[in-house]
Amino acid sequence: MANWGSRQLMFRFPKSLINLAVLEPYCIEDFITVSTNHDSVILDINISEEDGSCWIETGEGYSRRYGIATG
């Protein structure tokens, strides 16, 4: 599969500097993940135009929930 439009950004932090409980609420399966090894925390951000990740949901409930002004 080609990776046209795919972008990946990864950070490796020393485990002693990162509180996983702070990062975990921002994780989105297959898009933003956090993993650990013996001394590091890996923050992995994947954006792919092919999978529809640029789609923005709209609608009354969504707009109210996220404070987006509509028409």
Side-chain angles (χ1 to χ4, degrees):
M1 173 167 78
N3 65 348
W4 304 55
S6 298
R7 291 162 182 80
Q8 182 177 29
L9 178 63
M10 297 178 78
F11 297 95
R12 182 176 69 176
F13 301 103
K15 197 181 250 184
S16 61
L17 296 179
I18 300 296
N19 180 349
L20 287 176
V22 172
L23 292 178
E24 287 174 346
Y26 299 99
C27 292
I28 301 171
E29 187 175 357
D30 297 325
F31 296 104
I32 302 173
T33 59
V34 176
S35 58
T36 61
N37 62 22
H38 64 283
D39 62 348
S40 299
V41 173
I42 310 297
L43 174 62
D44 186 3
I45 302 169
N46 290 286
I47 300 170
S48 174
E49 293 177 14
E50 292 178 358
D51 61 16
S53 63
C54 292
W55 181 264
I56 298 174
E57 274 300 322
T58 59
E60 190 175 315
Y62 181 87
S63 300
R64 227 183 294 130
R65 183 179 327 140
Y66 295 105
I68 299 170
T70 58

